[in-house]
Amino acid sequence: MHLNPYGEYAVLLAASLANDWPADRAAIEERTLDGGMTMVFPPAPDDHAAVRAVIDEWLEIVDEGDPDRRAALLNTRLAEAAAYPRLTNHDGEGWHLHYRDDVPSLPFVLRAIINLGTALHLVTRGMHRLGRCEAAPCTNVVVDVTRNGRQRFCSVRCANRAAVRRHRARTEG
């Protein structure tokens, strides 16, 4: 997976997995390929559960509202997953950087990519650009990639639902 300067691809992939958890390992792999990863990894019996653990750890970062604590959590995850940058050329992608060891494991690679992408996204876009949808009862992850940095809802549907609630509260109250 190529990370753009904002880490959007990796963060959007993580949000996709968190918001719509795949039923099995094959569906996780399909989602990663649809999200831009080109590598396929040999299956391991615990991949589905191990990737779920990666996403659950990432959700702790999503749910941390304090920027200092969010950074500390993310730094811990980066230390566990990342390595020195290295040039690589695989799968016809051309030369690019990997920020992880060459371990042929889907959960290991996703942990590194998601945490690095999240770090890039937050430091280039802003520490506030990751959270949960504000349209209760929705709890989907929102990755704010907007220009103005004010995305609060996961979808137009949730934004409209919140607008209707605000309108009703004004007119009925």
Side-chain angles (χ1 to χ4, degrees):
M1 172 179 282
H2 292 285
L3 293 173
N4 69 1
Y6 305 116
E8 285 174 18
Y9 298 114
V11 183
L12 291 171
L13 173 61
S16 169
L17 292 170
N19 293 341
D20 183 20
W21 180 242
D24 55 26
R25 187 205 189 275
I28 294 170
E29 186 171 274
E30 182 179 332
R31 187 88 53 85
T32 64
L33 294 171
D34 289 346
M37 279 182 65
T38 59
M39 296 181 71
V40 176
F41 301 93
D46 66 337
D47 279 352
H48 190 256
V51 173
R52 182 70 240 183
V54 168
I55 297 303
D56 289 343
E57 289 172 358
W58 181 74
L59 288 172
E60 292 174 15
I61 295 164
V62 170
D63 292 335
E64 180 52 65
D66 178 79
D68 291 330
R69 288 197 300 264
R70 178 178 267 182
L73 275 172
L74 191 49
N75 283 337
T76 298
R77 302 291 186 259
L78 287 168
E80 295 167 356
Y84 64 89
R86 67 190 84 217
L87 286 167
T88 186
N89 183 9
H90 60 81
D91 298 328
E93 288 187 25
W95 289 103
H96 59 281
L97 288 173
H98 276 187
Y99 294 88
R100 59 176 175 75
D101 291 327
D102 290 326
V103 176
S105 158
L106 181 62
F108 180 86
V109 170
L110 285 178
R111 176 174 278 117
I113 288 172
I114 288 169
N115 287 303
L116 177 62
T118 301
L120 290 171
H121 176 75
L122 294 175
V123 299
T124 58
R125 293 280 192 159
M127 290 297 281
H128 66 284
R129 299 282 207 118
L130 184 62
R132 297 283 188 158
C133 183
E134 291 184 16
C138 184
T139 60
N140 279 348
V141 174
V142 176
V143 178
D144 185 352
V145 295
T146 63
R147 237 180 224 176
N148 67 9
R150 299 182 197 278
Q151 185 174 349
R152 300 180 355 219
F153 305 103
C154 68
S155 65
V156 172
R157 180 178 177 204
C158 278
N160 288 343
R161 187 179 321 143
V164 167
R165 284 189 183 131
R166 285 191 309 271
H167 174 74
R168 287 182 180 156
R170 281 192 309 268
T171 59
E172 294 172 1

